[in-house]
Amino acid sequence: MIKIICLGKIKEKYLVELIKDYQERISRFHKIEIIELKDDESLQKEEQKIMSLINSKDFLITLEIEGKEYTSTEFASLIENTFITHSTITFIIGSSLGLSENIKKKSNLALSFSKMTYPHGLFRGILLEQIYRAFKINNNETYHK
């Protein structure tokens, strides 16, 4: 299973549609769940909400600007190899406050898509697109480059 824990609700209709589209595409390959949490005024409160949803057996990937960058092919390999040893990959997208140090320490991998900052909803769409692309790569299916 792929689980995406994210803070903040997406309000823009076009982003909601983008996210739904990629979620449906991914579901043809693998079970996926997106959990939206209300963002809070403190990292501690957000941390408590996130920690309650994390299973100790999950492979935890935090999305951090300081994280490791991968090409799409490398990311596809990461997904494929991780599912050999873990049944669930959990991605965590923090709020505008970021992520608490405790969540970062618990992470198996800090992943960065760029040194740039993206709007939360758009980034969720980008993450889903890359997960979908990873499944297409891993299944030797063509996908627009």
Side-chain angles (χ1 to χ4, degrees):
M1 171 193 255
I2 291 178
K3 184 167 43 174
I4 301 173
I5 300 171
C6 33
L7 287 113
K9 185 156 178 65
I10 307 300
K11 297 173 185 90
E12 299 86 353
K13 185 178 177 184
Y14 72 98
L15 290 174
V16 170
E17 290 173 6
L18 173 75
I19 290 162
K20 183 179 175 189
D21 178 49
Y22 277 108
Q23 189 173 6
E24 287 173 6
R25 291 181 191 208
I26 293 165
S27 68
R28 290 188 1 240
F29 296 100
H30 211 81
K31 186 174 179 186
I32 180 165
E33 177 183 18
I34 298 175
I35 302 168
E36 274 187 352
L37 300 174
K38 187 174 188 261
D39 45 357
D40 225 305
E41 302 109 31
S42 80
L43 281 176
Q44 286 180 327
K45 289 181 182 178
E46 290 178 353
E47 176 186 318
Q48 290 172 350
K49 291 177 190 178
I50 293 168
M51 290 293 217
S52 72
L53 298 167
I54 296 171
N55 184 312
S56 62
K57 295 179 181 177
D58 294 358
F59 187 85
L60 189 60
I61 299 176
T62 48
L63 285 299
E64 304 179 39
I65 204 163
E66 313 85 16
K68 181 174 168 124
E69 293 183 17
Y70 287 81
T71 66
S72 293
T73 306
E74 291 168 339
F75 183 65
S77 293
L78 171 72
I79 297 288
E80 186 172 52
N81 293 332
T82 301
F83 276 130
I84 293 169
T85 56
H86 294 78
S87 60
T88 301
I89 299 174
T90 299
F91 293 89
I92 300 178
I93 304 172
S95 69
S96 59
L97 300 173
L99 291 168
S100 73
E101 287 305 312
N102 287 333
I103 299 250
K104 289 180 181 183
K105 286 176 188 170
K106 191 166 181 64
S107 176
N108 297 97
L109 173 68
L111 176 65
S112 176
F113 279 32
S114 170
K115 298 294 181 205
M116 295 180 183
T117 302
Y118 295 98
H120 183 82
L122 180 60
F123 182 75
R124 195 182 306 180
I126 293 169
L127 172 62
L128 287 166
E129 190 280 333
Q130 284 298 303
I131 293 170
Y132 174 68
R133 183 179 296 272
F135 281 114
K136 295 290 273 185
I137 291 168
N138 290 338
N139 285 282
N140 296 315
E141 295 181 18
T142 57
Y143 184 58
H144 178 72
K145 294 181 182 184

